[in-house]
């Protein structure tokens, strides 16, 4: 599949004939106005940008180094197994493939998360020649802030990154509820990622249409080997998903008790009655989430301590929260601050 590099370098506003883009913004100045940002943030190579699955930013590039290791932890570990070291993550070995790191502060968590992401970037850049990254919205984006600082801003090969959303609100891209806008303002606008490598939804479509469009895009990216495929499940296998968790235990837009948590066929689906506003969203399904090579669950704050305890503590319940259904093919790592882990 084309990365649209030649199209993005062209000032023409003609229709982009590609799998993932349905139409273009007429110019970087028009797009900047739509997003309420300065046109100077856009490179001259980004004069016209797709308004759908390949939509955004760009600049030059780089690839990463290494930091601190993570150990395995059983999800059924007792409270006594969780001890927090000053200025360090505490990791405990157990039976499950899940790993848990607990940090004194969210700042320390963010530092370790940047190291984790940079290490994976280097690994997959070498192995596959690209790095597919899925992000959520909410506080997760704030926790990525260390990636836009030295040494990572200059060492990561941003040219090989391909960025996706695990879920998105079906609102205009300049809307305060847009996960795209949140990621753009806090992260994407600060890194030199090629504009054709960021895949936002087509917000001109209905929720159902946007979900279908995003899945179609993913299928073409799998065929072109930008995104890997799971031999075990036949679903796309992203290199890493960086996910937050809601205080009710939801991940992506998969909410407790909602039928979509049991969707087994679709790659991307939609919801029109989200328990949390805005009501219309699209979301990856669990078969896609759980086909991932790596998942980081990033949880900070005392308001999520009860759900963390239910998910990782020794209490038994047959009524699983969505976050408890996260079980990737590869490795799962929990990044917790001390407040979120306070009830473990």
């Amino acid at each position: 599949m084309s990365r649209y590099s030649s199209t993005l370098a062209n000032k023409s506003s003609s229709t982009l004939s590609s799998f993932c883009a349905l139409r273009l913004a007429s110019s970087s100045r028009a797009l900047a106005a739509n997003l309420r940002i300065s046109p100077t943030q856009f490179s001259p190579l980004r004069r016209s940008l797709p308004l759908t699955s390949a939509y955004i930013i760009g600049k030059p590039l780089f690839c990463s180094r290494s930091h601190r290791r993570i150990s395995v932890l059983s999800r059924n570990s007792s409270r006594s197994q969780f001890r927090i070291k000053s200025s360090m993550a505490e990791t405990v070995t157990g039976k499950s493939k899940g790993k848990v790191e607990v940090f004194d502060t969210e700042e320390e968590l963010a530092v370790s998360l940047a190291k984790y992401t940079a290490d994976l970037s280097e690994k997959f850049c070498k192995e596959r020649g690209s790095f597919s990254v899925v992000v959520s919205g909410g506080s997760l984006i704030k926790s990525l802030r260390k990636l836009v600082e030295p040494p990572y801003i200059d060492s990561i090969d941003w040219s090989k990154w391909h960025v996706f959303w695990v879920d998105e609100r079906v609102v205009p891209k300049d809307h305060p509820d847009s996960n795209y806008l949140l990621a753009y303002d806090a992260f994407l606008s600060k890194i030199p990622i090629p504009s054709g490598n960021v895949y936002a939804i087509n917000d001109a479509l209905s929720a159902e249409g946007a979900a279908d469009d995003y899945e179609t895009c993913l299928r073409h990216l799998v065929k072109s080997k930008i995104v890997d495929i799971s031999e075990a499940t036949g679903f796309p296998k992203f290199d890493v998903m960086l996910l937050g968790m809601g205080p009710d235990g939801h991940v992506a837009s998969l909410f407790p008790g909602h039928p979509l948590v049991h969707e087994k066929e679709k790659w991307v689906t939609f919801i029109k009655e989200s328990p949390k506003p805005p009501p219309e969203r699209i979301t990856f399904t669990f078969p896609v989430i759980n086909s991932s090579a790596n998942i980081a669950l990033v949880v900070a704050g005392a308001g999520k301590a009860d759900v963390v305890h239910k998910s990782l503590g020794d209490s038994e319940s047959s009524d699983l929260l969505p976050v408890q259904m996260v079980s990737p093919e590869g490795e799962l790592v929990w990044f917790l601050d001390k407040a979120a882990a306070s009830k473990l």
Side-chain angles (χ1 to χ4, degrees):
M1 175 174 180
S2 169
R3 294 193 188 177
Y4 318 122
S5 56
S6 60
T7 305
L8 291 168
N10 194 321
K11 293 177 66 174
S12 169
S13 60
S14 60
T15 302
L16 179 62
S17 94
S18 68
F19 296 125
C20 298
L22 300 181
R23 54 195 181 89
L24 299 173
S26 60
S27 66
S28 62
R29 193 173 300 272
L31 179 60
N34 186 41
L35 292 178
R36 300 195 299 273
I37 58 179
S38 168
T40 60
Q41 288 179 281
F42 288 83
S43 143
L45 296 180
R46 285 178 283 110
R47 295 301 181 98
S48 54
L49 302 178
L51 284 180
T52 181
S53 310
Y55 179 44
I56 350 196
I57 315 139
K59 293 182 192 172
L61 29 131
F62 323 93
C63 210
S64 59
R65 295 279 185 299
S66 117
H67 230 171
R68 193 185 321 160
R69 294 191 59 175
I70 305 169
S71 297
V72 179
L73 173 84
S74 168
R75 291 191 186 187
N76 295 321
S77 300
S78 66
R79 180 179 303 191
S80 63
Q81 289 178 290
F82 292 84
R83 298 179 302 279
I84 302 167
K85 293 181 180 178
S86 177
S87 301
M88 286 291 289
E90 174 71 1
T91 58
V92 185
T93 301
K95 294 180 180 179
S96 92
K97 62 182 178 181
K99 298 178 181 180
V100 171
E101 289 195 343
V102 181
F103 300 88
D104 273 349
T105 66
E106 192 276 336
E107 176 74 6
E108 292 166 10
L109 181 158
V111 170
S112 185
L113 182 63
K115 166 72 172 65
Y116 165 88
T117 306
D119 285 351
L120 288 176
S121 175
E122 183 175 43
K123 174 182 183 290
F124 285 102
C125 285
K126 289 178 178 178
E127 292 179 359
R128 300 185 58 245
S130 64
F131 184 44
S132 58
V133 183
V134 178
V135 298
S136 62
S139 59
L140 178 277
I141 299 300
K142 178 186 175 185
S143 295
L144 298 180
R145 64 189 180 277
K146 296 299 179 181
L147 285 170
V148 305
E149 300 175 3
Y152 306 117
I153 188 66
D154 297 321
S155 63
I156 288 175
D157 190 347
W158 299 107
S159 71
K160 292 182 171 62
W161 276 47
H162 292 262
V163 177
F164 305 83
W165 277 263
V166 72
D167 71 325
E168 178 59 289
R169 292 86 180 271
V170 184
V171 295
K173 290 182 179 68
D174 62 349
H175 191 282
D177 287 331
S178 168
N179 283 342
Y180 163 79
L181 183 62
L182 176 66
Y184 179 85
D185 285 346
F187 179 58
L188 293 169
S189 63
K190 300 176 182 181
I191 61 175
I193 184 171
S195 55
N197 290 12
V198 185
Y199 303 87
I201 72 166
N202 184 348
D203 59 357
L205 300 176
S206 66
E208 183 174 8
D212 289 344
D213 178 69
Y214 212 72
E215 180 167 329
T216 298
C217 176
L218 294 183
R219 290 183 180 277
H220 286 298
L221 290 169
V222 165
K223 286 181 182 178
S224 61
K225 301 189 184 303
I226 297 297
V227 176
D228 205 356
I229 191 78
S230 167
E231 294 182 4
T233 67
F235 286 91
K237 184 176 184 177
F238 290 94
D239 298 331
V240 67
M241 291 197 181
L242 305 172
L243 306 180
M245 179 195 77
D248 61 351
H250 82 267
V251 291
S253 284
L254 299 168
F255 294 91
H258 196 281
L260 287 185
V261 301
H262 303 297
E263 173 60 49
K264 297 291 192 293
E265 303 297 328
K266 293 182 178 179
W267 292 12
V268 184
T269 190
F270 67 98
I271 181 172
K272 288 189 172 181
E273 68 288 344
S274 167
K276 179 181 176 181
E280 296 196 356
R281 302 158 175 246
I282 73 165
T283 183
F284 284 5
T285 60
F286 270 123
V288 173
I289 293 171
N290 287 337
S291 293
S292 299
N294 297 275
I295 293 180
L297 275 168
V298 182
V299 185
K304 299 179 181 180
D306 286 333
V307 175
V308 169
H309 176 252
K310 180 173 181 179
S311 300
L312 294 172
D314 51 11
S315 61
E316 297 293 334
S317 173
S318 58
D319 188 18
L320 291 179
L321 296 171
V323 70
Q324 294 175 284
M325 299 171 70
V326 175
S327 181
E329 269 187 37
E331 183 176 77
L332 171 64
V333 183
W334 289 73
F335 288 80
L336 307 174
D337 71 353
K338 184 161 58 175
S342 62
K343 297 190 177 181
L344 290 174

